[in-house]
Amino acid sequence: MGFSASDVVPFTQARANLSELAEQAKAGAEKIITKNGESYVALIDAERLDYYHRLERERIHLLLIDDARQGLADVLAGRTQNADTALAGLQAARKAKAATTSKTKPKHRG
């Protein structure tokens, strides 16, 4: 969905015309409210916001299903590792990275 110039409203104008902007949003318009010349918040119909939230939850569920599918494919292909061994490897890698990072940071002199 594209926005027109009338969909971008400065904060001070939005404050003065909130009822009118709310009616426009209820009718399907989406308003971008700016503050100091930059996008600040959006004004949209509550039902449309709920729809956006449902879409996001569905997207997350699809990603989880895809991850599970990939995990099952890895198991079937024999690409598995003992959990304790995997965790120990991750912890060792983090320690090594932390040690390397602390050596390269310049020391602060008070």
Side-chain angles (χ1 to χ4, degrees), residues 32-50:
I32 300 296
I33 299 172
T34 61
K35 189 171 184 179
N36 299 323
E38 295 186 16
S39 296
Y40 188 61
V41 296
L43 182 63
I44 64 171
D45 177 60
E47 289 179 18
R48 184 171 292 191
L49 178 62
D50 185 51

Side-chain angles (χ1 to χ4, degrees), residues 5-102:
S6 64
D7 294 328
V8 179
V9 183
F11 191 86
T12 54
Q13 182 182 344
R15 186 182 308 148
N17 299 308
L18 184 58
S19 290
E20 180 183 334
L21 293 172
E23 289 300 321
Q24 292 174 14
K26 187 67 181 163
E30 294 181 352
K31 302 295 182 176
I32 300 296
I33 299 172
T34 61
K35 189 171 184 179
N36 299 323
E38 295 186 16
S39 296
Y40 188 61
V41 296
L43 182 63
I44 64 171
D45 177 60
E47 289 179 18
R48 184 171 292 191
L49 178 62
D50 185 51
Y51 170 73
Y52 291 159
H53 285 212
R54 286 193 315 270
L55 283 178
E56 180 62 16
R57 282 191 301 272
E58 183 176 313
R59 185 184 75 79
I60 290 168
H61 291 155
L62 291 172
L63 290 171
L64 289 171
I65 289 170
D66 191 50
D67 286 347
R69 182 195 55 75
Q70 183 60 50
L72 289 172
D74 287 343
V75 168
L76 290 173
R79 295 184 298 262
T80 62
Q81 189 176 32
N82 174 288
D84 291 332
T85 304
L87 288 173
L90 289 172
Q91 290 170 342
R94 285 183 183 157
K95 277 185 179 180
K97 184 177 180 180
T100 303
T101 303
S102 67

